[in-house]
């Protein structure tokens, strides 16, 4: 039976979703509270530092601990869709007698939350201390209750609220106020979220930063800068990288990629250029070393792997590519953002690498308009991975990934195929949030063997578009990529594909122009396109820094590439047998 709760309470759920404030990255204005035990994860949920979340997980359960600067009630919940409902919510407080009140609730519509018939969130501790109110509670990842949120590796929106006063009962909760509620996207089961980092005693840090770059008043800018890797007398490992975003520019720095550039020289050090405009021809480098995207935080390599410098074949020069997204065409933005690298001479067991898999970034990726759930599927071929792993005895251990698409993206799945059998997905996010593209660490390493293949599925909601959306560099265009961190490092850095739509003609770019002009409100046109997509031949790109190939749009498919014709969706992904 629904309990009566003040209408304004629901502003917690109705208004707290959406794009995180750019102030979310600002330093805490209060000291981090001390949890009741050691947790692997901690996050400051609000700008002021009034609401802190600690959590840890195992194979079956999660334990949360909230520290909130209030002596009143505390609200906490989980949601996947960013709307008022459905969401899984708990409310609790400690009264003047020291008694803790705590209920497991859910919402179904624009009305009061309902107390769950099955109380699956269990209170472990409730108290008030010098900081405020502490609530510690646990639940199963999967409670088998339709009213509870299923906790998976996908992104979840954590919602929160609090009030300065205790209510008399659950039926008399007062409005928390506009400034005492919010939301944060988190991956509860993947990477560790720590606000404080203490580097090893022998660690050295160096920064790759822009220097007062004047961001143009245009929607999309890709700015590149060349850096020489610090020279040391012996090998060292990068063990951590973190974004350094200029305060106030969090809304404009969309992503940062760092590439190995073996063709650069000392004369190029410090050179700045438009990455995809007036780029020096000899600096066309695509071997990814670091990938960071909007919403992401620092990434720590596992204890047995690091990215190697100062041995033969290691990067000597790096190119930092920064994508500035400025849809309002604001002028006067000055940016000095970049990446901070932490390195150590305490060499780890394995040299790590990054494999970029998914769609080649060009307009051959085609998303029709008016589609609620359009699937764009791209492959990392078996033949390419065989080149990377060389023999049946070789394999790579994947330990983390960044899944990346743009504004239309709703979910991304990295499928893992071995022979005719599809294994457990390498990674998936069924609640993809464009504004939260953090690195997800796998719960356990995944072995990719000689003969395996990968398929990257991106699902898009294009119901808000009246014309097709093509693949491209701007945020309004689309991408479908997985940056996979693994060890030991191989020669292959790019394993990508594009459909050719060759049932229409021999020139795939002309084919896209033809399809773009079709009437996409006509169901026959949609059916025709799906048939073309199912039967098209596919161009596969398999490259490394030792065998570079151009990533610009052109028809030189046979140059340093692998062309593998395939027809039908069965060649993209094998069904489980």
């Amino acid at each position: 039976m629904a309990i009566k709760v003040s209408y304004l309470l629901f502003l917690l759920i109705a208004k707290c979703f959406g794009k995180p404030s750019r102030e979310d990255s600002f330093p805490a204005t209060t000291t981090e509270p001390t949890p009741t035990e050691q947790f692997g994860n901690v996050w400051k949920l609000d700008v002021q530092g009034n609401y802190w979340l600690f959590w840890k997980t195992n194979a079956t359960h999660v334990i949360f601990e909230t520290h909130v600067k209030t002596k009143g009630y505390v609200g906490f919940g989980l949601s996947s869709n960013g709307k008022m409902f459905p969401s899984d919510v708990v409310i609790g407080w400690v009264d003047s007698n020291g008694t803790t009140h705590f209920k497991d609730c859910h919402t179904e519509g624009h009305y009061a939350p309902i107390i769950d018939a099955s109380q699956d969130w269990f209170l472990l501790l409730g108290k008030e201390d010098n900081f405020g109110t502490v609530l510690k509670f646990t639940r199963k990842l999967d409670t088998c209750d339709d009213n509870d949120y299923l906790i998976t590796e996908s992104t979840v929106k954590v919602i929160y609220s609090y009030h300065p006063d205790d209510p008399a009962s659950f039926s008399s909760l007062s409005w928390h106020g506009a400034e005492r509620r919010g939301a944060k996207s988190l991956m509860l089961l993947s990477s560790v979220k720590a606000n404080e980092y203490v580097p090893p005693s022998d660690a050295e840090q160096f920064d790759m930063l822009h220097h007062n770059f004047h961001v143009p008043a245009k929607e999309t800018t890709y700015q590149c800068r060349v850096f020489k890797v610090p020279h040391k007398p012996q090998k060292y490992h990068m063990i951590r990288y973190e974004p350094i975003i200029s305060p106030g520019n969090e809304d404009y720095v969309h992503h940062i990629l760092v590439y190995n550039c073996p063709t650069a020289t000392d004369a190029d050090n410090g050179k700045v250029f438009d990455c995809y405009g007036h780029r020096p021809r000899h600096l066309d480098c695509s071997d990814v070393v670091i990938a960071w995207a909007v919403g992401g935080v620092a990434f720590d390599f596992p204890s047995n792997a690091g990215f190697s410098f100062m041995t033969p074949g290691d990067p000597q020069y790096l190119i930092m590519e920064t994508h500035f997204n400025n849809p309002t065409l604001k002028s006067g933005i000055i940016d000095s953002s970049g990446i901070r690298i932490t390195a150590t001479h305490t060499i780890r067991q394995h040299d790590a690498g990054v494999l970029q898999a998914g769609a080649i970034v060009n307009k051959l990726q085609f998303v029709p308009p008016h589609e609620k759930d359009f699937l764009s599927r791209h492959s990392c071929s078996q033949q390419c991975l065989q080149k990377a792993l060389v023999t049946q005895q070789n394999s790579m251990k994947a330990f983390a990934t960044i899944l990346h698409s743009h504004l239309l993206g709703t979910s991304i799945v990295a499928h893992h195929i071995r022979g005719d059998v599809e294994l457990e997905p390498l990674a998936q996010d069924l609640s993809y949030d464009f504004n939260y593209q953090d690195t997800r660490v796998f719960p356990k390493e995944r072995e990719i063997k000689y003969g395996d293949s990968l398929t990257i599925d991106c699902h898009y909601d294009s119901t808000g578009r009246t014309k097709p959306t093509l693949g491209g560099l701007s945020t309004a265009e689309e991408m479908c990529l997985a940056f996979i961190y693994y060890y030991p490092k191989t020669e292959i850095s790019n394993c990508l594909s594009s459909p050719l739509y060759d049932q229409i003609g021999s020139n795939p770019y002309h084919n896209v122009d033809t399809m773009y002009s079709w009437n996409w409100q006509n169901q026959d046109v949609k059916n025709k396109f799906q048939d073309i997509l199912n039967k098209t031949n596919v161009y596969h790109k398999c490259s490394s820094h030792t065998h570079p190939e151009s990533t610009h749009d052109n028809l030189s498919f046979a140059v340093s590439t692998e062309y593998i014709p395939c027809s039908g969706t069965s060649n993209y992904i094998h069904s489980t047998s």
Side-chain angles (χ1 to χ4, degrees):
M1 177 178 180
I3 60 175
K4 293 181 63 178
V5 182
S6 168
Y7 162 75
L8 292 176
L9 169 67
F10 296 104
L11 293 180
L12 157 67
I13 306 167
K15 293 185 177 180
C16 67
F17 298 100
K19 185 173 182 179
S21 167
R22 67 188 186 186
E23 295 177 327
D24 288 348
S25 300
F26 289 2
T29 55
T30 60
T31 303
E32 178 181 322
T34 303
T36 60
E37 63 174 289
Q38 185 173 358
F39 288 85
N41 307 279
V42 56
W43 203 255
K44 179 172 65 76
L45 295 184
D46 67 336
V47 174
Q48 296 79 17
N50 292 331
Y51 202 121
W52 292 77
L53 176 68
F54 299 84
W55 78 96
K56 64 180 180 180
T57 65
N58 58 29
T60 59
H61 285 74
V62 58
I63 297 178
F64 294 106
E65 185 169 297
T66 57
H67 289 244
V68 186
K69 191 174 285 295
T70 182
K71 296 298 176 73
Y73 76 74
V74 171
F76 178 83
L78 305 175
S79 177
S80 61
N81 64 4
K83 297 181 180 179
M84 173 178 173
F85 61 89
S87 60
D88 186 6
V89 196
V90 294
I91 300 170
W93 68 90
V94 180
D95 66 22
S96 58
N97 297 319
T99 301
T100 303
H101 303 261
F102 184 85
K103 289 291 185 182
D104 174 7
C105 308
H106 70 277
T107 59
E108 294 182 349
H110 296 279
Y111 46 84
I114 301 169
I115 296 178
D116 287 7
S118 175
Q119 291 287 296
D120 300 306
W121 294 71
F122 298 99
L123 181 70
L124 300 177
L125 177 146
K127 68 175 185 177
E128 292 180 345
D129 60 14
N130 292 334
F131 186 86
T133 296
V134 178
L135 295 176
K136 183 178 182 180
F137 42 94
T138 186
R139 55 154 282 189
K140 291 182 177 179
L141 302 180
D142 183 359
T143 65
C144 299
D145 183 349
D146 291 340
N147 293 322
D148 291 338
Y149 183 91
L150 176 63
I151 298 176
T152 69
E153 66 268 33
S154 296
T155 299
V156 58
K157 288 190 180 292
V158 171
I159 58 176
Y160 64 91
S161 70
Y162 60 99
H163 191 275
D165 301 317
D166 291 341
S169 68
F170 282 95
S171 61
S172 60
L173 294 169
S174 300
W175 180 39
H176 44 71
E179 301 302 319
R180 295 189 293 267
R181 51 91 179 143
K184 175 68 68 175
S185 288
L186 292 173
M187 298 176 216
L188 295 175
L189 301 187
S190 59
S191 51
V192 173
K193 310 296 178 189
N195 287 74
E196 300 294 335
Y197 174 71
V198 179
S201 58
D202 70 337
E204 298 182 34
Q205 294 182 327
F206 57 93
D207 294 344
M208 302 172 60
L209 302 172
H210 293 291
H211 297 298
N212 296 323
F213 172 63
H214 291 256
V215 180
K218 62 179 184 177
E219 180 178 356
T220 300
T221 299
Y222 278 81
Q223 183 74 1
C224 279
R225 185 182 182 95
V226 180
F227 294 85
K228 184 175 183 178
V229 174
H231 188 273
K232 305 292 180 182
Q234 60 192 39
K235 176 177 179 175
Y236 61 99
H237 266 155
M238 175 174 66
I239 58 173
R240 174 185 170 95
Y241 63 82
E242 59 185 304
I244 306 297
I245 308 301
S246 295
N249 288 357
E250 291 80 5
D251 285 348
Y252 306 106
V253 183
H254 174 267
H255 77 243
I256 299 173
L257 295 178
V258 177
Y259 301 95
N260 173 21
C261 196
T263 56
T265 67
D266 281 351
D268 298 310
N269 187 29
K271 187 171 292 184
V272 178
F273 54 90
D274 182 337
C275 304
Y276 299 97
H278 303 290
R279 184 187 190 111
R281 184 178 294 274
H282 71 288
L283 296 181
D284 193 6
C285 306
S286 61
D287 184 9
V288 175
V289 175
I290 293 172
W292 173 87
V294 58
V297 294
F299 175 69
D300 294 286
F301 284 79
S303 59
N304 62 344
F307 198 94
S308 176
F309 294 108
M310 298 307 299
T311 61
D314 288 346
Q316 298 184 49
Y317 301 89
L318 300 172
I319 291 180
M320 183 176 72
E321 170 191 296
T322 305
H323 173 195
F324 294 97
N325 182 42
N326 185 13
T328 62
L329 310 184
K330 182 179 178 179
S331 60
I333 302 171
I334 300 176
D335 188 79
S336 296
S337 299
I339 295 291
R340 173 167 295 155
I341 291 174
T342 301
T344 175
H345 287 289
T346 304
I347 303 304
R348 297 183 170 180
Q349 183 179 2
H350 301 287
D351 292 343
V354 180
L355 178 68
Q356 184 178 192
I360 300 173
V361 180
N362 59 30
K363 72 175 187 177
L364 298 184
Q365 186 186 5
F366 192 101
V367 181
H370 316 298
E371 295 289 339
K372 181 64 177 176
D373 185 22
F374 178 77
L375 170 61
S376 181
R377 175 169 284 168
H378 302 271
S379 57
C380 171
S381 71
Q382 182 185 78
Q383 291 89 335
C384 186
L385 287 178
Q386 285 176 339
K387 287 183 177 180
L389 300 174
V390 183
T391 72
Q392 292 281 3
Q393 285 69 46
N394 293 136
S395 68
M396 62 174 66
K397 300 290 183 65
F399 55 84
T401 187
I402 294 179
L403 302 177
H404 179 68
S405 71
H406 284 177
L407 295 174
L408 300 186
T410 59
S411 69
I412 306 175
V413 181
H415 294 280
H416 186 188
I417 302 100
R418 180 165 295 156
D420 293 329
V421 177
E422 180 175 349
L423 307 180
E424 176 187 355
L426 191 69
Q428 61 180 340
D429 191 341
L430 305 183
S431 303
Y432 176 77
D433 183 349
F434 170 77
N435 294 302
Y436 179 65
Q437 300 181 46
D438 204 3
T439 307
R440 58 187 69 231
V441 177
F442 300 155
K444 59 181 179 180
E445 294 175 344
R446 292 292 301 276
E447 186 175 26
I448 300 174
K449 295 184 176 182
Y450 181 94
D452 288 1
S453 61
L454 304 174
T455 300
I456 313 301
D457 280 2
C458 289
H459 291 258
Y460 300 107
D461 182 351
S462 62
T463 52
R465 303 278 174 96
T466 58
K467 294 182 179 181
T469 301
L470 306 181
L473 298 171
S474 77
T475 305
E477 295 170 312
E478 270 305 332
M479 293 186 182
C480 181
L481 293 167
F483 298 91
I484 301 168
Y485 289 77
Y486 70 93
Y487 69 82
K489 186 178 181 181
T490 73
E491 286 296 310
I492 302 302
S493 56
N494 293 285
C495 189
L496 307 162
S497 74
S498 283
L500 301 178
Y501 315 110
D502 47 332
Q503 300 95 315
I504 299 175
S506 60
N507 186 315
Y509 297 101
H510 292 171
N511 298 340
V512 167
D513 293 339
T514 297
M515 295 189 300
Y516 194 92
S517 64
W518 289 351
N519 177 10
W520 288 98
Q521 292 182 318
N522 186 316
Q523 188 59 47
D524 290 339
V525 168
K526 295 181 180 181
N527 294 340
K528 178 181 179 181
F529 173 72
Q530 191 60 54
D531 185 62
I532 290 172
L533 195 60
N534 290 342
K535 297 177 180 178
T536 181
N537 285 320
V538 176
Y539 162 62
H540 291 262
K541 174 180 178 179
C542 183
S543 66
S544 71
H545 68 275
T546 56
H547 295 88
E549 60 180 338
S550 174
T551 59
H552 298 300
D553 290 352
N554 60 64
L555 298 178
S556 302
F557 292 135
V559 179
S560 301
T561 66
E562 178 182 44
Y563 180 78
I564 306 169
C566 63
S567 61
T569 56
S570 63
N571 282 317
Y572 279 97
I573 183 168
H574 297 282
S575 59
T576 304
S577 58

